[in-house]
């Protein structure tokens, strides 16, 4: 057998199983990508907390989440685009890449995927949670485990600062996303997802301390809803009903960051002059 | 002397030493790649344990194993394909890339290569093992060293959870492998092995805590057989004969992850429309 | 909606909002890039200090600053070139890539951007600073926070050694920058900014210990001016008026490193011989 | 001013300063690259030891040395080839890429470059050495600093094991180097140096524990000669005149690793069949 047989077999299957409705494909793909992304992400945080910050230290939070995003975007970039973040989808709504109904659908399945991913992760690490916390399921204190799922600010942090933090972090994210995909910057498509991952990694080294950089409404809300089945509604009430901040603030940040980039830089890049650069002169020589 | 002389000398040697039987070439190449992969991998774990987790911390387990895989796949990708994992070979069997006899041969030499790699690593680090543990060769306890070679779950982990963990980890691995090599995702071939490495690295930050993410039957069984010569058959009996789980579960995970990817995403990517993009207009201009 | 609509919408906006004066575009772009770069950089240092070196350890200083530079250069490389460092701009002045008035403008806005970036970072982390230091705003001692903004050498370091350190670090930076952008080395443009980032990361692992590798007059002076509003003029007087060293020494280092590279290597690379390499013979076959 | 003026200015200078003798160019380039490589490398080790393993931990040893190699090779790859290791040069001697006189010259200047790099690093970190060790200059014990420069095995390590370690490490290095540059593996030239760096990084995570992976005769001997001026001839006599092992063993390892690769894999890669793959059908369509 060979690569050729593989191609034939898979292409035949594809012909049979290919769905014709692009919207169905996109919505299912976005759900799939988000589930995998958050399944990995919650796994990373769990390994950090449940090993008493020994098997993972903060560097793995950065590297792990970064590459989890890169790989998850990679596998669904050719179908749904791999937004994996309602704030990013909203941004593309304002730039006519996504229609309003698609934006709503994307937001719903992104949150649903995050919910499922959190559940799967809890299932894989269930024995470790029991070993760590016994029967306790606390939001704060020495055996707290709600932080496996979503962000809970420290008491010394005001909700105003939380809002600022989420606007700033998401603005950084979309600034770089917009720069990376701007075709005038000349980054090949196959490097985009890797650079998105590096962007998230870098933000985590800079603005991870206040809230753990959710900067993604679905990433925070989906697992929080899952957590509410375990920890009760206190996951919403905590810290003056903080929960809405990482849900709402990223939308502002996403729009701010991307549009600032386009206004200041993206729209201002000069068209390349058509200089004739003979990079492979020998080939032309052959052809003459 | 020069690059030209180098090319001539090596091409002449190649003409003399090139083997004509592809199966022999592939099987020997897979044995070679696996030996090097596990020689590095066991070295990484040894450096972690024998230095009391000081010279390596968990981040090196992630980065080291990731790049060890990337580099080992790189050097044998053009001969045997560089599967370096029976679960991956099995997956390609289900997708007609590998015949059944080849799958059996691959599995045998992968396990053999892992056995040899473990032995070579033990040889290089023998003085350190003696310094660390003296004459003791224990599977658990403060001077345990059997963990250099293969996975031993903590007592609080059920074998059911171990099975789930290995299915999940291998499914993530083959999800991303399938996405990376899917030609419709447009990743250049020369980046594939590097992205496989990044995939393994990321899984290690997310699902390394239960068992140390073997997710590879040969990686776990080969060194375990080697360890049985040192530690006795207890390496198999430990934890209710746990040893079969990382041997069997990855086959389920590998098939699950890859086929889910293809059904949900791979088969659904739309054919690119043939838009005429003149990327190198000057060349065409020349040719007209 | 679709990619096509996105392109049309954005191109229309671009047509309306494109500025015609290249100098204005460049200066604003350099200000923008520097603000973002230092906003991330000061965030990284803040997360390191304010978490008692727990959420960031030194590895994040290296990785974070490296990729913050890479991403910031990436987004403004097609407008202002993304120097983000007066010493680099000065070097390009000596190589006729930048005019003297542009050099002066670049230096001013780079320093201004660093000032603004520091302010923004302080704003996002204000609650953490208060939590860490209360009302205290000290340059040295156990609750010192001035180190969030700029470099303060340890007492056992002479100003002579500081000067040497800054010359050496900046020389390494421009050595590699010059090698990376040298077209005869054949690195594709889209990898340049990433390699600049890796360069900065590597310098931080080697020569970060004396002063924290500012190697950038604007990066150190801009935030120091900001800090002077909080900590007073002692930020300039500290350690025998050390502050001028990371402002002045990098200019010497930048010129030294780049010109040494060009004299020893860059000018000495032989022109590639025009060997006819048929990389895609089938295409030519088609054309014949 | 502009990119065009830069190109003209630099090309004019190049025309004046270009040296015609390739041997002189190569030898000076190799000296230059090695000086920079070891200047960074010794800086990395110094930052590790002199900060009491706080500012650098072992991960920076891996990442730092890896990228220091990558960047140093990058800048001299088009002149001397950037071997930066006598064992690698010896390997290329056995493969007719380098003549015997060139091999001798390369070995001498590589060792000289490592000597100079060590000296420069000592100069930059002199105040830190004094702060760390006062007037003491010891090879072992609590304030030992000779380890800044070269390898000193622990007492429990036999010289036999040291020899094995250096053969194994260098064999891994040249295995991967040979695979990376093998044109049949299809890795673009501009990624070679980066992958060499990743190779060194990975070896450091696996076989760094015995001796700190010198695997390079010049890297160990050059700084050791420098150290002998400070610490006396004990740096050679230590551990049963161990010093010759990292000088001699890498030659065996380098030849072993590379030739094994070529025999088992490199010479066995099948020629790609000339399948006509129309990757850019529109272009051909245009041409018809």
């Amino acid at each position: 057998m060979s690569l050729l047989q593989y191609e034939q077999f898979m292409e035949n299957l594809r012909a049979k199983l290919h769905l014709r409705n692009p919207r169905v494909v996109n919505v299912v793909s976005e759900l799939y990508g988000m589930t995998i992304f958050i399944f990995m992400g919650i796994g990373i945080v769990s390994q950090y907390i449940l090993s008493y910050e020994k098997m993972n230290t903060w560097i793995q939070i950065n590297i792990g989440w970064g590459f989890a995003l890169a790989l998850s975007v990679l596998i669904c970039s050719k179908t749904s685009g791999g937004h994996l973040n309602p704030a990013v989808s909203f941004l593309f709504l304002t730039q006519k890449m996504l229609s309003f109904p698609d934006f709503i659908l994307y937001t719903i399945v992104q949150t649903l995927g995050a919910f499922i991913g959190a559940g799967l992760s809890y299932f894989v690490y269930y024995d470790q949670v029991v070993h760590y916390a016994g029967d306790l399921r606390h939001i704060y204190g020495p055996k707290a485990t709600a932080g496996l799922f979503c962000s809970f600010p420290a008491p010394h942090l005001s909700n105003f600062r939380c809002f600022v933090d989420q606007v700033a972090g998401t603005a950084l994210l979309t600034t770089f996303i917009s720069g990376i995909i701007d075709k005038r910057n000349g980054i090949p498509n196959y490097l985009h997802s890797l650079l998105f991952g590096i962007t998230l990694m870098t933000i985590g080294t800079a603005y991870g301390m206040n809230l753990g950089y959710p900067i993604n409404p679905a990433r925070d809300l989906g697992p929080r809803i899952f957590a509410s089945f375990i920890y009760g509604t206190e996951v919403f009430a905590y810290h003056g009903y903080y929960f809405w901040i990482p849900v709402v603030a990223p939308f502002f940040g996403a729009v701010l960051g991307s549009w600032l980039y386009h206004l200041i830089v993206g729209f201002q890049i000069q068209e390349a002059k058509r200089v004739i650069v003979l990079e492979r002169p020998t080939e032309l020589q052959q052809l003459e």
Side-chain angles (χ1 to χ4, degrees), chain A residues 54-267:
Chain A
K54 183 174 165 303
M55 275 185 80
N56 276 359
T57 59
W58 192 254
I59 186 68
Q60 273 109 335
I61 303 278
N62 305 141
I63 289 180
W65 273 95
F67 285 135
L69 178 66
L71 293 166
S72 306
V73 170
L74 188 156
I75 59 168
C76 54
S77 58
K78 299 290 180 184
T79 42
S80 61
H83 301 175
L84 307 186
N85 187 339
V88 171
S89 295
F90 181 69
L91 160 67
F92 287 138
L93 171 65
T94 72
Q95 292 176 355
K96 311 283 181 199
M97 204 195 276
L98 206 67
S99 70
F100 186 76
D102 278 332
F103 163 66
I104 297 296
L105 286 170
Y106 270 44
T107 297
I108 291 169
V109 296
Q110 284 157 354
T111 309
L112 179 60
F115 178 93
I116 298 171
L120 289 174
S121 185
Y122 190 64
F123 180 62
V124 175
Y125 273 139
Y126 186 75
D127 291 359
Q128 302 285 3
V129 173
V130 170
H131 183 66
Y132 180 87
D135 290 337
L136 304 173
R137 292 294 178 275
H138 285 170
I139 295 178
Y140 39 85
K143 290 291 182 189
T145 48
L148 300 179
F149 298 104
C150 51
S151 58
F152 294 98
H156 64 265
L157 213 66
S158 70
N159 276 347
F160 167 71
R161 201 69 55 191
C162 295
F163 196 94
V164 167
D165 177 272
Q166 287 303 288
V167 170
T170 318
L172 285 172
L173 183 70
T174 60
T175 296
F176 294 124
I177 288 178
S178 298
I180 291 161
I181 67 174
D182 187 337
K183 64 182 188 303
R184 287 186 174 81
N185 282 326
I187 314 284
N189 284 344
Y190 61 83
L191 288 181
H192 289 185
S193 61
L194 210 57
L195 287 167
F196 299 159
I198 286 176
T199 298
L200 184 60
M201 186 187 303
T202 311
I203 294 171
T205 66
Y207 292 102
M209 191 183 170
N210 280 335
L211 297 169
Y213 62 116
I215 57 177
N216 182 334
R219 179 264 171 271
D220 204 71
L221 184 61
R224 192 181 300 273
I225 295 170
F226 181 84
S228 72
F229 290 96
I230 303 172
Y231 304 86
T233 55
E234 171 73 5
V235 298
F236 294 103
Y238 178 86
H239 203 271
Y241 290 90
Y242 151 85
F243 86 95
W244 66 271
I245 291 173
V247 174
V248 173
F251 289 102
F252 291 87
V255 170
L256 178 71
S258 176
W259 282 106
L260 270 183
Y261 166 78
H262 284 296
L263 289 175
I264 298 176
V265 177
F267 291 158

